[in-house]
Amino acid sequence: MIGSVPEPAPDGTVGTAPGIFPFIGHGIDLARRPLAFLNSLPEHGDLVEIRLGPQRAWMACHPALVHQVLMDPRTFDKGGPLYDRLRTLLGDGVGTCRHQDHRRQRRLLQPEFRKARVADHVRLVGEEVESVCHAWRAGQAVDISATMLDLSTRVVSRVLFSDSLGAATAAEMRSCLATVVRGMFVRTVMPVDALFRVPTSANRRYRHASDRLRAIVDAAIAKRRRNSPHDNRDDLLGTLLAATRADGGGTPITDREVHGQVMTLLFAGAESTALCLSSALELLGRHPEEERRLHSEVDAVLASGQPPGSDDLPRLVRTRCILTETLRHRPPGWLFTRVTTQETELAGYLLPKGATVMFSPYLLHHVPTLFPDPDHFLPDRWLPGQAVAVPPGAMIPFGAGSRKCIGETLALAEATVAVAFIARHWRLRHLPGHTERLHPAASLGPRGLVMVSEPRAGRPVGTPPRADSHVPGTTAVPVVHDSRTAGGNDVRDT
């Protein structure tokens, strides 16, 4: 069924009078109340026409249509407002490039993300999460959002560059990423360039953050080049630099492509994984029975107290169910766009060449007929033997088809190690007055989430720092007991 959503009324609600805000269209609804707006679309049809600024777009609301889009990347290519903005920031990396370049780029990077290679990375993930847990103290109020972004940034930088970024650089990158993902979303739902050329403080912050992210990556690449050809570290940057010299034969890649690949993988690997971890910990804090079951598992599997190794991951069944349900309930990649490369039919409707097609994992993951009680956090729905089969295109936290996220295996391994080790040693409690306030940006998850850390048994792993000491890799804030300010949140598809 084909449908369209009426234009917003002056009060911001959807009314019946068309053309009230012809310049902004539904972008204002998508920016102000994005999740509610998405959940309202299926009642208008399987394919719904909406307005984003002066542009028309079609939202695929049925999993069969989304599956058709994802399995035909030649016709439904990476493009539209989201990828137009991402290419400006990241270049033409594996996550943003057009269809004709994707296969070559993926083949170049794929060896670094195979299961055997990911198993090698499990150790370094364990080292980083152990460092985080060693730094916490009993009763400390921890900025979980910032700490998880620190953790994921350090992990992905070690995968990319072997050595982790320095504490100051990692902190700057975290701040820049937060600014960029907020600005990216606004520029996607209201793709009117004139709005973002005005020298407002927000636009200046976005440009500065974008410039600094590119400069950090350029500095890391330049540092490695200065040490070449004697520096033969076995990491992803080494693979890319070898490809510029065509060490393995074939056509050399350009320096611009090296920059684009590093930017893409850093952006996707840090932000998405951090939001998944923050969401999982936030949800566990609100579901004590699920937390208790997780504790039982990690106490048994991680009896030694050490981070899980690659052989332990298959035994962490409930941990994986919790993460899968987190990705269903709150997928970091929640809204994507494609552009038709030719006139094509979708849901019986003939779309012109150049049409923007949108799809939302969040929307699909909350369809009651696909996932009963979709707003409830129910990890048991993914237990072996209990998981209900869902149709293709319904559960897509990492996308599908040839452009399914290249980092899926690494991201899941990293999240499993982190959640399991944290749960083995710490219980995280919400501050008084905490309420869930999700304000989606280019990705979805809690921002500004603060929780209190409590050691589960006796003294936590290692020796906690004194109350007045500062330890890199963790972010602490004073405990707040005023319910007016406590808790709450501010503000992958490769």
Side-chain angles (χ1 to χ4, degrees):
M1 183 171 63
I2 312 300
S4 62
V5 183
E7 294 287 351
D11 63 357
T13 61
V14 173
T16 57
I20 299 296
F21 290 138
F23 190 61
I24 297 177
H26 299 104
I28 194 167
D29 260 340
L30 197 50
R32 285 179 175 174
R33 52 185 194 94
L35 304 183
F37 179 74
L38 286 176
N39 286 336
S40 73
L41 295 181
E43 67 185 61
H44 296 280
D46 295 339
L47 183 66
V48 180
E49 181 181 347
I50 62 176
R51 289 279 301 276
L52 299 178
Q55 300 179 14
R56 294 191 301 169
W58 285 264
M59 180 74 74
C61 301
H62 192 283
L65 300 184
V66 175
H67 185 68
Q68 178 182 341
V69 168
L70 292 177
M71 300 308 288
D72 186 5
R74 186 182 298 275
T75 301
F76 300 94
D77 203 356
K78 286 285 183 81
L82 173 62
Y83 290 103
D84 291 344
R85 304 296 178 184
L86 282 172
R87 286 190 186 103
T88 301
L89 173 67
L90 306 178
D92 284 314
V94 68
T96 57
C97 67
R98 298 289 186 180
H99 171 73
Q100 63 265 24
D101 295 325
H102 179 256
R103 188 174 185 181
R104 175 186 58 81
Q105 293 193 23
R106 185 146 184 146
R107 281 181 170 178
L108 172 65
L109 300 174
Q110 191 67 59
E112 291 293 321
F113 294 96
R114 292 201 174 105
K115 288 184 178 180
R117 186 63 169 152
V118 168
D120 296 336
H121 296 321
V122 167
R123 177 190 56 79
L124 70 87
V125 174
E127 291 173 357
E128 294 295 347
V129 72
E130 193 170 17
S131 175
V132 167
C133 286
H134 277 195
W136 291 351
R137 305 184 306 277
Q140 175 184 356
V142 180
D143 186 332
I144 294 298
S145 298
T147 302
M148 292 302 103
L149 189 51
D150 275 335
L151 170 64
S152 62
T153 299
R154 291 164 69 89
V155 168
V156 74
S157 69
R158 288 183 66 179
V159 171
L160 289 169
F161 312 128
S162 291
D163 50 350
S164 179
L165 296 175
T169 302
E172 183 181 15
M173 179 174 289
R174 183 191 74 223
S175 175
C176 290
L177 282 170
T179 300
V180 166
V181 294
R182 284 195 296 268
M184 188 74 68
F185 174 58
V186 175
R187 287 161 172 77
T188 297
V189 300
M190 290 189 286
V192 183
D193 288 341
L195 295 175
F196 306 109
R197 288 196 292 266
V198 180
T200 63
S201 58
N203 286 342
R204 287 195 297 269
R205 284 195 301 271
Y206 179 83
R207 285 193 293 271
H208 174 74
S210 301
D211 291 343
R212 285 302 301 149
L213 278 177
R214 285 190 285 264
I216 289 169
V217 168
D218 285 341
I221 295 172
K223 179 180 177 181
R224 178 67 65 85
R225 281 195 181 281
R226 287 195 298 270
N227 296 329
S228 296
H230 307 293
D231 191 333
N232 295 314
R233 277 178 286 183
D234 184 20
D235 56 19
L236 202 144
L237 181 56
T239 298
L240 291 170
L241 292 178
T244 65
R245 302 186 297 267
D247 290 351
T251 303
I253 68 172
T254 65
D255 290 347
R256 183 177 179 181
E257 185 172 328
V258 173
H259 175 92
Q261 301 296 7
V262 172
M263 282 288 291
T264 298
L265 296 170
L266 189 61
F267 184 84
E271 172 75 6
S272 297
T273 305
L275 289 174
C276 174
L277 288 171
S278 297
S279 288
L281 297 174
E282 195 274 337
L283 289 164
L284 285 168
R286 290 195 286 113
H287 295 84
E289 182 58 26
E290 296 298 341
E291 182 187 54
R292 185 193 66 76
R293 293 172 180 172
L294 173 63
H295 288 164
S296 295
E297 175 176 271
V298 298
D299 289 350
V301 177
L302 306 182
S304 69
Q306 298 301 308
S310 57
D311 292 340
D312 295 318
L313 298 186
R315 301 167 58 202
L316 294 167
V317 176
R318 182 161 291 279
T319 308
R320 183 60 68 90
C321 289
I322 286 168
L323 289 168
T324 303
E325 179 66 352
T326 298
L327 290 168
R328 182 205 65 80
H329 191 275
R330 198 182 289 170
W334 65 286
L335 184 65
F336 297 102
T337 60
R338 296 289 191 269
V339 167
T340 56
T341 59
Q342 60 188 19
E343 188 177 71
T344 189
E345 184 180 294
L346 187 64
Y349 184 76
L350 196 61
L351 296 178
K353 179 181 178 180
T356 296
V357 177
M358 307 180 73
F359 65 94
S360 168
Y362 180 90
L363 183 159
L364 296 170
H365 295 179
H366 286 77
V367 174
T369 55
L370 300 173
F371 301 98
D373 297 320
D375 293 329
H376 288 83
F377 181 66
L378 302 172
D380 279 4
R381 70 172 93 227
W382 303 106
L383 286 172
Q386 296 188 35
V388 177
V390 294
M395 179 67 180
I396 51 169
F398 294 97
S402 64
R403 303 211 67 161
K404 189 175 186 180
C405 178
I406 194 172
E408 175 185 8
T409 303
L410 176 60
L412 287 174
E414 179 182 347
T416 302
V417 170
V419 168
F421 189 77
I422 290 171
R424 175 68 177 84
H425 297 286
W426 293 95
R427 177 179 285 109
L428 294 170
R429 291 284 175 258
H430 286 297
L431 295 175
H434 167 79
T435 55
E436 181 187 45
R437 299 190 199 97
L438 289 178
H439 297 279
S443 46
L444 175 65
R447 293 178 170 84
L449 173 66
V450 176
M451 302 180 77
V452 177
S453 56
E454 299 175 357
R456 287 193 52 218
R459 189 178 69 172
V461 183
T463 303
R466 298 192 307 274
D468 60 348
S469 64
H470 172 72
V471 178
T474 186
T475 304
V477 297
V479 177
V480 180
H481 295 291
D482 186 343
S483 62
R484 292 171 300 175
T485 57
N489 306 318
D490 295 336
V491 227
R492 266 63 62 245
D493 184 47
T494 58

